[in-house]
Amino acid sequence: PGVFTITAVKDSASECKAYTSIEKLIHEMPSVRVSKGREEYVDIHEGGEAEILFEFGGTPPFEFTYTRSTNERKGKKSQVLETNSEVSHEHSMRIRASLEGTYEVVAIKDRYCAYAKPGQDLGKGQKLLKY
């Protein structure tokens, strides 16, 4: 993030150089961290709940999509059981979970930009950022 400035453009074929001053403000990429970035295993007893903390980087409001998948077992790939979308106007959000599984954020959008894991649809004409 910061100010990106172009001060000159040069054609390598003719060595022609033109001076300019074009400035654009580059915003921070939206980011999310789940449970302070730690892997947590919580034993949820019947009728109990666990709290999941989402912390966001970027500019609010944040829209994010997360999945709940089966827990990985040796020799078996996990399967997505459900997909949920939420909106937060703050830099953090807590949700209560009462179902077993692995919770993972698969897409995030802030005021200026959006990012999704490969294979995830951002919807509403959003473009996937690629590196």
Side-chain angles (χ1 to χ4, degrees):
V3 178
F4 179 73
T5 305
I6 298 174
T7 57
V9 179
K10 183 177 178 182
D11 178 14
S12 63
S14 67
E15 297 296 319
C16 179
K17 188 174 189 178
Y19 293 93
T20 186
S21 181
I22 300 171
E23 287 189 353
K24 291 291 179 184
L25 178 61
I26 307 300
H27 298 278
E28 177 183 3
M29 286 277 300
S31 62
V32 60
R33 192 166 61 173
V34 181
S35 298
K36 300 198 178 286
R38 297 185 311 258
E39 280 190 26
E40 287 193 29
Y41 298 92
V42 179
D43 190 10
I44 302 173
H45 298 284
E46 190 171 331
E49 292 181 322
E51 184 177 81
I52 302 172
L53 171 65
F54 298 94
E55 296 173 296
F56 307 105
T59 306
F62 300 98
E63 295 178 34
F64 66 105
T65 301
Y66 66 94
T67 59
R68 180 177 70 87
S69 302
T70 57
N71 292 326
E72 268 190 29
R73 305 235 190 269
K74 201 169 193 173
K76 278 190 138 181
K77 190 176 176 183
S78 65
Q79 300 215 333
V80 174
L81 300 171
E82 66 179 301
T83 302
N84 297 292
S85 293
E86 301 284 345
V87 174
S88 175
H89 295 277
E90 305 295 327
H91 280 90
S92 67
M93 180 181 205
R94 297 173 190 273
I95 64 165
R96 308 293 288 170
S98 59
L99 298 172
E100 177 184 54
T102 300
Y103 291 77
E104 176 185 25
V105 175
V106 295
I108 183 164
K109 176 182 173 189
D110 74 353
R111 181 174 181 184
Y112 299 105
C113 195
Y115 176 79
K117 286 181 65 174
Q120 294 294 318
D121 180 21
L122 291 171
K124 298 181 186 174
Q126 294 292 315
K127 293 182 179 176
L128 175 64
L129 294 175
K130 296 181 180 176
Y131 288 96

